[in-house]
Amino acid sequence: MSDERGAEVLGRAVDVYLNDATFWRGVPEAVWNYHIGGYQILKKWLSYREETILGRPLVKDEAREFTAMVRRISAIVLMTDVLDSNYMAVRDASIALSTANPVSVPQIEDPQATGAESAPI
């Protein structure tokens, strides 16, 4: 991926503030906005680490973990074009295979439709 395409995919850099003393500078906007299962991952992670919730300030290991998460999500976002093209290729191959070799699914008779009594369970 070219540098220009990478910059386009990641978007502008934003600063993410946990509080007045703790913030991360230069988080790519696409990474900050990254959602899984309807949740904005980084925002949700930080929301559970507010001092009012934990009863203590953020520790260095937690701050490092946030930075590591930004890096990992950045890698996923940068792979979006490749992941999308792989998905499309597999999808198209699956559709072609299913139309070329349709699978016959056996039909199960409904015992009541034939007048047969069902066995007690």
Side-chain angles (χ1 to χ4, degrees), residues 22-40:
T22 306
F23 71 97
W24 291 264
R25 180 164 295 174
V27 175
E29 189 172 30
V31 174
W32 173 248
N33 291 325
Y34 194 78
H35 284 73
I36 296 177
Y39 292 100
Q40 189 177 350

Side-chain angles (χ1 to χ4, degrees), residues 24 42 45 49 59-72:
W24 291 264
L42 296 175
W45 191 90
R49 280 146 186 94
V59 296
K60 287 182 183 179
D61 284 343
E62 290 167 326
R64 287 187 194 108
E65 180 59 24
F66 183 85
T67 301
M69 289 171 56
V70 169
R71 289 181 181 145
R72 289 190 295 269

Side-chain angles (χ1 to χ4, degrees), residues 5-113:
R5 177 67 181 142
E8 179 185 335
V9 169
L10 290 173
R12 67 185 179 92
V14 297
D15 295 339
V16 176
Y17 287 83
L18 178 63
N19 54 42
D20 292 337
T22 306
F23 71 97
W24 291 264
R25 180 164 295 174
V27 175
E29 189 172 30
V31 174
W32 173 248
N33 291 325
Y34 194 78
H35 284 73
I36 296 177
Y39 292 100
Q40 189 177 350
I41 300 302
L42 296 175
K43 183 176 182 179
K44 189 72 167 172
W45 191 90
L46 285 175
S47 74
Y48 289 124
R49 280 146 186 94
E50 291 179 11
E51 190 170 352
T52 57
I53 293 173
L54 291 178
R56 62 168 173 78
L58 199 69
V59 296
K60 287 182 183 179
D61 284 343
E62 290 167 326
R64 287 187 194 108
E65 180 59 24
F66 183 85
T67 301
M69 289 171 56
V70 169
R71 289 181 181 145
R72 289 190 295 269
I73 295 171
S74 294
I76 292 169
V77 169
L78 287 170
M79 291 189 302
T80 300
D81 291 345
V82 173
L83 294 171
D84 287 347
S85 67
N86 285 341
Y87 169 78
M88 301 281 195
V90 169
R91 181 201 63 193
D92 294 345
S94 298
I95 292 171
L97 180 63
S98 68
T99 56
N101 300 315
V103 177
S104 176
V105 178
Q107 298 297 315
I108 300 173
E109 277 190 34
D110 180 1
Q112 293 180 354

